[in-house]
Amino acid sequence: MLRLAALGFLQAEPLNGYRLMQQLEFFMSCCVSVNSGAIYPLLRRMEEKGEVRLLPETTSEFGQAGKTYEITALGRERWHQEMLAHPHESWVNSRSRFAIKVFFFNHLEPAERVQLLEHRLMSCRLRLAHRQAQPKQANPYQEAVWQRSLDVIESEIQWLTQQLTRELSESGQAEALSAADQAALLTVLPD
C-alpha cells in the first residue's frame, strides 16, 4: 500500500524522500505507516524497477544536496494497474487500500472510478450480510464492539452509495443506479 500511495503522490510532482514522507504522513496516516526506514528503501526499489527516476541533485536553501524522484511512464502504468486491481487481502487492509485509491481518484477515468466504487460497495454488502448472519454475542462488551463494526460497514455502504451516485450523475449514467441503491441513498441524503 505504501508503494501505491507513494506513486500516487509522485503523479502530481517530483518529490524528495523527506517531502514524500511528509505528504504520506499528513494525508495517509490513517492508511499506511510511514518512516524513513521504509520510504528510502521503497524509493530505491522503485528506481531499480524503473518506476521512478532520480533527478539531478539539487541544493536546498540550507546547502544540503537532496535526491528528488519523479515517476516514469512505467511507474504510471504500474500505478494505474494497481489502482484497478482487487487483491485478496484482509478486511482492514482492503479498507486502507480503498481509502488510498479514493484519495487519488482524480487520476482515473470516470468509468474506472465507478468500477472501483461498485466493487467496494459489493464487498461491503457481502461483509455486512456475513456479519449479520452471525449469532449475537453473549458478552455485552463483545456485542458492543460487534454492533460498532456493523455500524461502520453500514456507514461505509451509505457513503459509497453517495459517491457512486455522484460519479454516475456527473457522467450522465445516473439511471444505471439500481432501485435498491436509489432507495438507500434517499435514507442518507438530507432533505
Side-chain angles (χ1 to χ4, degrees):
M1 279 186 276
L2 183 58
R3 182 177 157 278
L4 178 67
L7 287 172
F9 279 111
L10 290 169
Q11 295 269 1
E13 64 180 325
L15 295 167
N16 64 38
Y18 179 74
R19 182 73 177 125
L20 178 60
M21 195 166 49
Q22 285 181 319
Q23 295 281 69
L24 288 163
E25 286 176 356
F26 186 75
F27 292 108
M28 300 284 144
S29 60
C30 67
C31 305
V32 293
S33 175
V34 183
N35 63 55
S36 59
I39 196 68
Y40 292 107
L42 173 67
L43 286 167
R44 257 191 316 282
R45 284 191 308 273
M46 291 189 311
E47 183 182 10
E48 289 167 2
K49 292 178 180 179
E51 297 169 341
V52 299
R53 88 175 111 247
L54 189 59
L55 296 177
E57 284 194 18
T58 57
T59 304
S60 73
E61 60 191 77
F62 304 109
Q64 297 173 324
K67 295 181 178 181
T68 301
Y69 297 85
E70 74 176 351
I71 192 168
T72 63
L74 178 62
R76 287 181 197 283
E77 180 183 325
R78 288 186 179 161
W79 175 84
H80 189 257
Q81 290 170 350
E82 194 171 332
M83 282 287 286
L84 299 179
H86 304 294
H88 183 72
E89 59 192 348
S90 74
W91 180 253
V92 172
N93 284 348
S94 71
R95 290 188 80 218
S96 295
R97 183 177 304 277
F98 187 74
I100 292 168
K101 288 179 179 186
V102 171
F103 190 83
F104 297 111
F105 260 21
N106 62 312
H107 296 290
L108 297 177
E109 296 295 322
E112 294 169 330
R113 293 191 297 263
V114 166
Q115 175 191 4
L116 289 170
L117 288 164
E118 287 174 339
H119 183 271
R120 182 67 189 168
L121 186 56
M122 178 194 67
S123 296
C124 287
R125 286 185 176 142
L126 290 172
R127 179 75 170 189
L128 182 62
H130 174 74
R131 286 287 180 124
Q132 289 173 330
Q134 301 300 312
K136 198 168 177 93
Q137 302 293 314
N139 177 314
Y141 300 104
Q142 292 172 356
E143 179 60 30
V145 171
W146 189 261
Q147 184 57 52
R148 176 68 183 132
S149 72
L150 290 175
D151 294 345
V152 168
I153 296 169
E154 289 171 348
S155 175
E156 186 170 352
I157 289 171
Q158 291 174 346
W159 182 82
L160 287 165
T161 303
Q162 290 173 333
Q163 298 305 308
L164 183 57
T165 300
R166 193 183 88 233
E167 284 293 333
L168 291 171
S169 176
E170 289 175 3
S171 66
Q173 302 174 24
E175 65 279 354
L177 200 59
S178 74
D181 287 337
Q182 290 176 13
L185 184 62
L186 292 175
T187 64
V188 296
L189 290 179
D191 293 332

